[in-house]
Amino acid sequence: MTVHLHEFDGERSLTLNTGGLAVDAAVTAAGHEPNGYFWEGLVRFAWPDIAERLDFDSEAGMFCAVGGSSDLAQLKAAVESVITNPAAVRDIIARAKTAGFEFDE
């Protein structure tokens, strides 16, 4: 799977390499760039309860969240549920737009 959990020097992180995802065309069609910053915004909007307990270190080619094991496991399940589902991503983007949420890309 594209989403990976890591542990290094006692720090836990989750990474998602961007580009080449099944939902990239849907993201682009909605006027966004499917990069790490977009995914960070999507996570912050779609799962704010998890996002507030994490730190982010995303870049253009990779989404990265740092936090506790339980939060990262929840995030992994959430992200995996949408990275292959263009309809789910379009729905989140539409809800974000309606709410006035700005993606930082």
Side-chain angles (χ1 to χ4, degrees):
M1 183 51 56
T2 309
V3 181
H4 302 282
L5 292 172
H6 308 275
E7 183 174 348
F8 183 74
D9 284 344
E11 184 174 85
R12 291 175 172 78
S13 63
L14 175 146
T15 59
L16 166 67
N17 290 327
T18 60
L21 297 175
V23 296
D24 285 356
V27 173
T28 302
H32 298 283
E33 188 173 333
N35 60 29
Y37 305 112
F38 165 81
W39 284 100
E40 183 175 323
L42 185 132
V43 165
R44 288 181 187 273
F45 177 79
W47 304 289
D49 55 326
I50 299 172
E52 70 183 10
R53 296 187 301 267
L54 300 173
D55 292 316
F56 296 94
D57 190 19
S58 300
E59 30 188 81
M62 179 185 69
F63 165 77
C64 179
V66 179
S69 296
S70 175
D71 292 327
L72 292 174
Q74 289 177 9
L75 181 61
K76 183 177 190 289
V79 169
E80 286 179 342
S81 75
V82 299
I83 60 172
T84 58
N85 187 339
V89 169
R90 281 191 295 270
D91 176 64
I92 294 168
I93 292 170
R95 288 188 290 122
K97 183 177 181 178
T98 299
F101 182 84
E102 293 286 329
F103 287 88
D104 181 20
E105 306 167 67

